[in-house]
Amino acid sequence: YGAGRWVFVGFGAGGWTGEGSIWTTTDFSSFTQCADRFSHTMGMLSSVIWTGTRFVAVGFDIDGADQTGKIMTSTDGLTWSAIATTGAPKDVAWNGSRLVAVGYDTSFVAYAWVSTNGGTTWTRNTIPTTVVGGLLSVEWRADLGLFVAGGMSTLRAYGTTCGIATSPDGVTWTAATVPAGVGTILDIDTNGSLLVAVGYTSAGVET
């Protein structure tokens, strides 16, 4: 929520390989699809946040692959600017002064994109494959002073053991110790003092 409206992102009727979609509402009784999306060749958008001055949304490109992606920004949720990326960002977090988006490419090599000017420009950082595989979620833990990201382990495959990494700045990442039997992490959330991660194993078992 920001700029007087709620903003939702995802994909349209064409599915995840089709065109991305942005919807807004001020009252939850009526929703407006953002027409500005047609001026950008964006694929599925997977995450959006409000920094206090702008919305930032991330996702992969229109071809449905993870080799390229988009970072979208908007001050009002209606008119958007797009930045193309190498590798596809899946989630984005904000710590009050720094934006960090995480994702991966078609080889499930993890990347972190960092912006220190509110999303105007971004720097992509490759996370070593000895630390973690492709990342799907990131949260900021203010009490720890760390971004916490989750996804695949160094095996770099969906459904195998999970990978979790932490970073104070989105540039330097450290692998966290995780319990055995935990599959790929799909999402991480925090209430400020506790982190909860959810995912699944290759057998389809939720973790």
Side-chain angles (χ1 to χ4, degrees):
Y1 177 83
R5 59 179 50 87
W6 284 266
V7 173
F8 303 86
V9 299
F11 53 84
W16 65 273
T17 59
E19 204 164 55
S21 188
I22 301 170
W23 293 81
T24 67
T25 182
T26 58
D27 56 11
F28 284 93
S29 63
S30 62
F31 290 79
T32 301
Q33 188 173 27
C34 179
D36 188 53
R37 80 192 198 285
F38 294 115
S39 64
H40 306 292
T41 53
M42 63 186 185
M44 186 185 81
L45 295 171
S46 53
S47 180
V48 61
I49 61 168
W50 170 253
T51 67
T53 58
R54 69 178 66 179
F55 295 99
V56 180
V58 299
F60 53 66
D61 218 338
I62 192 67
D63 59 3
D66 292 312
Q67 193 60 36
T68 57
K70 283 289 196 306
I71 297 174
M72 313 281 294
T73 62
S74 173
T75 56
D76 60 7
L78 303 175
T79 302
W80 293 79
S81 298
I83 299 169
T85 65
T86 300
K90 303 295 184 180
D91 197 13
V92 60
W94 166 249
N95 71 356
S97 62
R98 179 177 294 248
L99 284 156
V100 173
V102 299
Y104 53 82
D105 63 15
T106 51
S107 298
F108 298 134
V109 173
Y111 298 107
W113 293 263
V114 177
S115 176
T116 57
N117 55 14
T120 302
T121 58
W122 296 77
T123 301
R124 190 191 72 164
N125 303 279
T126 303
I127 303 174
T129 55
T130 54
V131 174
V132 73
L135 293 172
L136 291 100
S137 183
V138 63
E139 280 288 329
W140 168 251
R141 269 289 295 269
D143 59 326
L144 301 177
L146 292 172
F147 291 96
V148 181
M152 307 172 195
S153 73
T154 55
L155 297 176
R156 288 186 286 151
Y158 272 105
T160 60
T161 53
C162 76
I164 296 176
T166 63
S167 173
D169 55 11
V171 178
T172 302
W173 292 83
T174 302
T177 302
V178 296
V182 178
T184 300
I185 298 298
L186 298 178
D187 197 16
I188 295 177
D189 205 352
T190 181
N191 65 0
S193 60
L194 178 69
L195 280 160
V196 176
V198 295
Y200 72 103
T201 68
S202 56
V205 178
E206 291 129 352
T207 58

